[in-house]
Amino acid sequence: CRCPCGLRLPRGARAPSAAVTAFSPCRYLICASGDFVKVYSVNTEETLRLMGGHADLVTGIQLNPHNHMQLYSSSLDGTIKLWDFMDGIPIKTFTVGSKLLALYALASAEDSVFVVIPKKGERDTFQLVSVKLTKGAGQDLESKELSVVLDGVGASVKHIAFGREGAYVASVKGVNLQVYFFKRKLLNRFSLSTIKTKGGDNRFSCVVCHPTEDCIATGHADGKIRLWRNFHNKKEYTYSTLHWHHDVVMDLAFSVEGTRLLSGGVESVLVQWHNESSCQKDFLPRLGSPIEYISMSSDGALCCTLHTDNRITIINSNLRFSRSIQGLIKSRDVKTGLVVDPRTKALVLNGEPGHLQFYSLQSDQQLFSLDIVQRQYIHEAGLKQSDLVKVAFSAQGTWLATVEESEEVADPELQLKLWFYHEEAQSFVLNTRINTPHDNHITDMCFRDMDELGDDSLILVTTGRDCVFKVWVMVEDTDPEAQQSVSWTCDFVGSYHNYQATNCCFSEDGSLLAVSFEETVTVWDSLTWDLKCTFCHPPGNIRKICFGRLTCSKYLIGATDYGFLCCWNLLTCALEWSAHLNVVVLQPDPLSEHIAAVSWLSKESSLFVFKPSEPRPVYIQRNLCKEKILLAAFVPRDEPEMMNSEKYLWLRKSQLFFLTDTQELLTLSTKSLEERLTPSSKQLAVEESLPVTPFSLLLRKHRRQQAQEDTDLGKPVVHNKQEQASPAVKELLHTPAHVLPSASFLCTIFINSLLISKENKSAEEVADEVEMESEKAEDDSDEEDVTAMEQEDTSHMELLGEMTCKLSKSQEKELRKIRKMDYSWISAF
């Protein structure tokens, strides 16, 4: 999703779109994620680099075969970028023009790469072409010199593979295999039967070539693996078959030496085949989700698998699990909404079936997954199973309420669970399970949590299609065998004219509860549960409601499914204003008066930010994205951010995130891409890149103690010339070598920066000189008198035979001020 005004995809929000690759000696893992390229540390699983610059989806990444410190990336924006991924900066950008769907780089092809592009004039037809990378001094270059290698290839990076030393290229599509030999300029085509017999399906799904022999391995839709040999001859070719997978083989990879073949599929099992034999194979099961990609490190020590749940698993060469990098899990349906954990500020939403995932936006990884349903999920279509549908946190994050229900429409099985956060276990522990809390589906729930009243103020409200809302409170557990001291029970049941209860929310101070019943909004006293007033704006049912906050706490906002946004005044019990707007998301900022409303009209989403006290929005962004935005959440910032424009002041304390119907997580950013990404020169400081060891910590402590002792003893602190902020030295030390100017140009600047000036004046003296120059005009009148008096004082001291130091310039300045002072007032005494 590309939108104006800095709407961007945050890190880890989209599943990696291209195969992952490892960098020897297995220190870094690189993958494409949305419009960005990420560099992870294999040892710590941290995101070391986030390289952005492409304007569309990144479709391929390849290490530069001539320099393994560099990386090529291709994108749907029609460009190929050459990166120094150690520094995280782009070196060159080659504009090809066509959409690039896959990328391949060979050591034998110097100054050129291979890409897959759409064939002009034909729909759903693709070509493998060779792109000549233009040489030039500039950073942005055009590479329009294309040579077609193969026609009618597949669009996936897994459908094309290059043979040993780049002698040939193999391509699969449908039931056809093409092999093109570069030197002989020979193209051989092989076809399998399209007839499905005994459950067999010969369609190709992936292809990979042996690194040292003339052997091609292909995966098929029926789970078979074929090993092709002697394919130089159209008639004398042979193939052998390996079969273990019961469904489509999603990817294949040879080991570096070629003695092992790895395969993966929907079974979530990594299979290792030895010596191309079906009898010798090993398994790594229970990897969690189907395997989409397999990649080997350049030294063969590690392999990594990319899974459909947006997770990368790092595996040792002996087929042992090593590490896992988990991003945002793409769930089938996000029924819980986007919820923010008050303790960790993590986004909380549906993860694996029956699980709640806590996704950290700061570390770009999943913090942990909480099993709510606690039942084995069976992957079978049409089977009715329980899933997580509602989530709510208390204000401090100590209590978590979840609702799970079966997929039955008529008579669903419901469970309301209350979880307490256990500090020692660092996780949520189940406190209370309530079976059938409502007679029909639960539509909404929320906590009332007022800190000043303690735990007695903690109340949970649920609304349901059974036309009631229920109030749940904590009570002391009198059961002597109970493991906890408190539990939850129903305290009050409310209804309104037998209408279905659809939404609920508490006011900021917790004194009022608003519950919507179809077309009507009811307001209740949270202490006595008396009905105070009702609001409605026919026609149409109430879709969303929320209270204003801070200075706007006297307002109640509601959106109807007939396309109206209404604001009611709680003091006058009247409609303050209304606007014709088809609001699908209504989200208040917990730290300000602002409310974000997202509308859906004419197949585009638009954002409106407003204060309830002002009918005119403070921010409008039309055509936010083409996808329909379903959910939104304000995430509080650790520190308020400085905004350069008043237009974005509403983003100062919180950051707004959106989730679309394609399950892409988007956010608004006020900075350009160049401003958002950390400058590489700051990242590449040598002292910052060094590992923190006990010796370095000890040395740092010793230096600090030495500096403190020198200060206490009154010794002048001598600063190294190089430690002073010399731009020349910093640029020389921190700028990557490939972008530095010539040594002859830098030599003079560098030598001059190391020279010591003849006049070593202290900072105090320099400051005094500047100040004295500013007072030169007023000192001119007294200059001669001062000089004469100084000479007279000096001569008297010499007569006494005493040696005295010459006054410093600051002392001379103070002396002049005293002499010019008017003492005539003393004569009055």
Side-chain angles (χ1 to χ4, degrees):
C1 176
R2 304 303 304 169
C3 345
C5 190
L7 186 68
R8 68 179 178 91
L9 189 72
R11 305 179 295 277
R14 182 185 290 170
S17 55
V20 292
T21 182
F23 168 67
S24 179
C26 298
R27 291 171 55 195
Y28 306 107
L29 188 69
I30 308 170
C31 75
S33 179
D35 305 349
F36 298 92
V37 177
K38 295 180 182 178
V39 181
Y40 291 99
S41 169
V42 172
N43 295 327
T44 65
E45 307 170 19
E46 292 179 299
T47 305
L48 301 179
R49 296 285 185 271
L50 180 68
M51 300 184 293
H54 284 293
D56 209 333
L57 190 71
V58 177
T59 55
I61 52 174
Q62 289 286 324
L63 289 175
N64 185 353
H66 306 289
N67 186 348
H68 280 189
M69 309 292 283
Q70 296 176 354
L71 176 84
Y72 287 109
S73 66
S74 63
S75 170
L76 293 179
D77 63 4
T79 64
I80 299 172
K81 288 184 178 291
L82 177 63
W83 303 86
D84 183 341
F85 68 85
M86 294 292 293
D87 300 342
I89 61 174
I91 303 172
K92 298 282 185 180
T93 299
F94 305 95
T95 302
V96 180
S98 301
K99 288 185 176 181
L100 308 180
L101 304 173
L103 173 69
Y104 310 90
L106 302 181
S108 58
E110 206 166 326
D111 299 329
S112 64
V113 295
F114 295 88
V115 295
V116 175
I117 62 172
K119 188 174 182 179
K120 293 183 179 179
E122 297 186 25
R123 189 176 180 182
D124 296 330
T125 305
F126 306 97
Q127 296 175 315
L128 175 67
V129 299
S130 173
V131 180
K132 184 73 174 178
L133 300 180
T134 309
K135 291 185 177 181
Q139 188 174 7
D140 297 325
L141 303 172
E142 289 196 358
S143 297
K144 303 293 185 179
E145 188 178 340
L146 308 180
S147 302
V148 178
V149 179
L150 282 176
D151 264 327
V153 301
S156 172
V157 68
K158 296 184 287 188
H159 291 166
I160 296 175
F162 287 83
R164 59 182 181 88
E165 299 177 356
Y168 57 89
V169 58
S171 169
V172 296
K173 186 178 182 181
V175 293
N176 300 313
L177 167 65
Q178 299 183 85
V179 183
Y180 179 77
F181 300 90
F182 288 99
K183 288 185 178 180
R184 298 163 56 190
K185 295 185 179 179
L186 175 67
L187 177 63
N188 290 342
R189 289 188 175 92
F190 310 94
S191 297
L192 297 175
S193 174
T194 58
I195 301 175
K196 300 179 180 180
T197 58
K198 297 181 180 180
D201 190 346
N202 292 329
R203 288 176 301 161
F204 290 94
S205 58
C206 55
V207 62
V208 66
C209 295
H210 198 285
T212 59
E213 301 176 5
D214 289 336
C215 175
I216 298 174
T218 58
H220 298 265
D222 58 0
K224 293 179 181 178
I225 300 172
R226 287 182 170 88
L227 299 172
W228 302 72
R229 293 186 181 275
N230 201 24
F231 43 80
H232 301 81
N233 194 310
K234 284 187 178 181
K235 296 182 179 180
E236 298 179 0
Y237 72 91
T238 61
Y239 66 76
S240 58
T241 303
L242 306 175
H243 195 186
W244 179 85
H245 299 277
H246 80 278
D247 208 329
V248 58
V249 179
M250 301 186 73
D251 202 10
L252 296 167
F254 275 106
S255 62
V256 175
E257 64 278 2
T259 58
R260 296 174 292 123
L261 175 65
L262 300 175
S263 64
V266 297
E267 303 88 359
S268 307
V269 177
L270 183 65
V271 184
Q272 181 174 257
W273 308 83
H274 294 275
N275 301 318
E276 304 173 11
S277 172
S278 59
C279 299
Q280 301 179 19
K281 54 183 178 290
D282 299 319
F283 304 94
L284 181 60
R286 294 185 294 274
L287 290 178
S289 61
I291 299 172
E292 280 192 312
Y293 292 94
I294 305 173
S295 181
M296 295 292 299
S297 65
S298 56
D299 60 358
L302 296 174
C303 78
C304 58
T305 56
L306 175 63
H307 300 261
T308 56
D309 63 351
N310 198 15
R311 178 168 47 86
I312 297 173
T313 303
I314 302 173
I315 301 166
N316 293 323
S317 58
N318 59 357
L319 220 61
R320 298 292 182 184
F321 173 84
S322 175
R323 295 180 183 274
S324 178
I325 302 173
Q326 178 67 70
L328 186 66
I329 296 177
K330 188 174 182 179
S331 177
R332 293 182 306 165
D333 188 13
V334 183
K335 301 176 182 178
T336 60
L338 283 184
V339 185
V340 179
D341 179 10
R343 293 184 309 101
T344 61
K345 298 181 182 177
L347 279 183
V348 181
L349 64 161
N350 290 97
E352 300 176 24
H355 288 68
L356 201 60
Q357 62 171 318
F358 290 70
Y359 174 69
S360 171
L361 297 166
Q362 289 75 24
S363 63
D364 185 22
Q365 291 186 23
Q366 184 187 99
L367 294 180
F368 64 94
S369 179
L370 184 64
D371 188 0
I372 300 296
V373 176
Q374 298 179 345
R375 296 180 187 175
Q376 181 66 36
Y377 187 84
I378 303 173
H379 294 270
E380 183 177 336
L383 188 63
K384 303 297 182 182
Q385 303 182 76
S386 295
D387 200 4
L388 185 62
V389 294
K390 297 295 177 185
V391 170
F393 284 93
S394 62
Q396 300 301 316
T398 55
W399 286 95
L400 168 66
T402 61
V403 175
E404 57 192 70
E405 62 182 34
S406 63
E407 297 176 350
E408 299 288 344
V409 178
D411 188 19
E413 179 184 347
L414 299 176
Q415 274 195 351
L416 172 64
K417 293 180 179 179
L418 280 303
W419 308 73
F420 179 74
Y421 186 77
H422 197 279
E423 291 291 344
E424 294 182 0
Q426 291 291 296
S427 182
F428 285 94
V429 179
L430 182 62
N431 176 271
T432 304
R433 179 190 288 109
I434 302 170
N435 294 318
T436 317
H438 286 260
D439 295 332
N440 207 330
H441 293 278
I442 293 179
T443 56
D444 199 6
M445 66 177 176
C446 62
F447 274 99
R448 183 194 76 173
D449 193 356
M450 296 183 294
D451 298 334
E452 64 273 10
L453 297 182
D455 291 338
D456 295 338
S457 67
L458 194 58
I459 292 174
L460 177 68
V461 173
T462 58
T463 59
R465 292 182 185 174
D466 55 356
C467 304
V468 299
F469 72 91
K470 293 186 177 182
V471 180
W472 309 86
V473 297
M474 282 192 298
V475 294
E476 292 187 6
D477 200 330
T478 57
D479 187 358
E481 298 181 359
Q483 297 181 355
Q484 59 271 349
S485 58
V486 296
S487 61
W488 291 75
T489 185
C490 183
D491 182 62
F492 178 78
V493 178
S495 63
Y496 184 78
H497 293 297
N498 206 31
Y499 293 150
Q500 285 189 358
T502 53
N503 298 277
C504 63
C505 66
F506 278 100
S507 60
E508 185 179 13
D509 61 357
S511 61
L512 297 176
L513 169 69
V515 182
S516 61
F517 291 89
E518 297 183 6
E519 294 185 354
T520 307
V521 180
T522 60
V523 181
W524 306 73
D525 188 325
S526 64
L527 296 179
T528 62
W529 302 116
D530 293 333
L531 179 62
K532 291 297 183 181
C533 59
T534 59
F535 302 105
C536 66
H537 194 282
N541 294 333
I542 301 297
R543 180 183 287 169
K544 303 285 182 182
I545 58 172
C546 70
F547 280 96
R549 302 182 65 86
L550 302 177
T551 60
C552 300
S553 58
K554 64 179 180 180
Y555 298 104
L556 177 64
I557 311 299
T560 69
D561 56 10
Y562 264 65
F564 284 95
L565 181 64
C566 308
C567 177
W568 293 285
N569 192 319
L570 296 172
L571 300 181
T572 62
C573 296
L575 181 67
E576 190 79 8
W577 54 265
S578 66
H580 190 61
L581 194 65
N582 183 28
V583 176
V584 293
V585 176
L586 190 67
Q587 185 65 40
D589 182 4
L591 301 181
S592 70
E593 300 94 341
H594 298 101
I595 297 176
V598 179
S599 68
W600 173 251
L601 186 65
S602 302
K603 295 184 178 181
E604 67 179 36
S605 296
S606 301
L607 173 65
F608 301 85
V609 181
F610 63 94
K611 290 183 178 181
S613 58
E614 303 173 6
R616 184 181 296 274
V618 298
Y619 179 82
I620 299 177
Q621 179 59 58
R622 300 187 184 276
N623 191 18
L624 194 64
C625 66
K626 296 299 182 183
E627 292 86 2
K628 185 177 181 180
I629 294 177
L630 302 179
L631 303 166
F634 277 100
V635 179
R637 300 183 189 272
D638 293 331
E639 294 181 1
E641 187 171 311
M642 297 299 295
M643 297 297 171
N644 297 327
S645 173
E646 294 184 0
K647 184 180 180 181
Y648 302 110
L649 286 179
W650 61 277
L651 281 172
R652 185 170 176 267
K653 296 182 179 180
S654 301
Q655 191 172 2
L656 183 59
F657 287 85
F658 311 95
L659 191 72
T660 67
D661 54 356
T662 57
Q663 294 200 22
E664 290 185 274
L665 188 63
L666 309 174
T667 186
L668 274 174
S669 176
T670 59
K671 299 178 181 179
S672 64
L673 180 64
E674 290 75 12
E675 292 175 325
R676 291 198 301 264
L677 299 178
T678 306
S680 59
S681 59
K682 295 182 180 179
Q683 295 179 357
L684 290 180
V686 178
E687 59 270 18
E688 293 178 2
S689 62
L690 291 176
V692 179
T693 62
F695 179 75
S696 65
L697 295 174
L698 181 64
L699 184 60
R700 187 185 308 171
K701 182 179 180 181
H702 173 72
R703 287 176 177 174
R704 288 178 180 173
Q705 290 178 349
Q706 187 65 37
Q708 184 65 34
E709 290 176 1
D710 292 344
T711 304
D712 296 339
L713 294 174
K715 296 181 180 180
V717 180
V718 180
H719 296 282
N720 192 343
K721 181 71 176 179
Q722 296 182 13
E723 294 180 358
Q724 299 176 5
S726 172
V729 178
K730 282 190 174 182
E731 288 299 321
L732 182 63
L733 295 179
H734 295 166
T735 304
H738 56 267
V739 296
L740 277 175
S742 62
S744 59
F745 175 80
L746 290 174
C747 182
T748 305
I749 302 175
F750 179 64
I751 294 299
N752 288 335
S753 67
L754 298 178
L755 294 178
I756 301 176
S757 176
K758 292 182 179 181
E759 298 180 0
N760 288 326
K761 298 180 180 180
S762 66
E764 183 183 5
E765 292 175 341
V766 174
D768 290 339
E769 286 182 7
V770 174
E771 191 172 352
M772 287 171 62
E773 287 178 4
S774 65
E775 298 177 354
K776 184 177 181 180
E778 64 183 55
D779 292 346
D780 286 344
S781 59
D782 299 329
E783 190 66 21
E784 295 180 359
D785 296 335
V786 172
T787 303
M789 295 176 66
E790 286 179 351
Q791 293 175 351
E792 184 179 351
D793 291 341
T794 304
S795 60
H796 290 169
M797 297 299 291
E798 291 175 349
L799 290 174
L800 293 173
E802 296 178 2
M803 296 299 294
T804 181
C805 297
K806 186 178 179 180
L807 294 177
S808 66
K809 293 184 180 294
S810 59
Q811 291 173 332
E812 292 175 357
K813 179 183 173 184
E814 291 296 325
L815 187 59
R816 287 199 301 272
K817 288 182 179 179
I818 294 174
R819 286 169 178 163
K820 288 189 292 183
M821 193 174 295
D822 185 12
Y823 297 98
S824 59
W825 55 275
I826 302 179
S827 60
F829 296 93

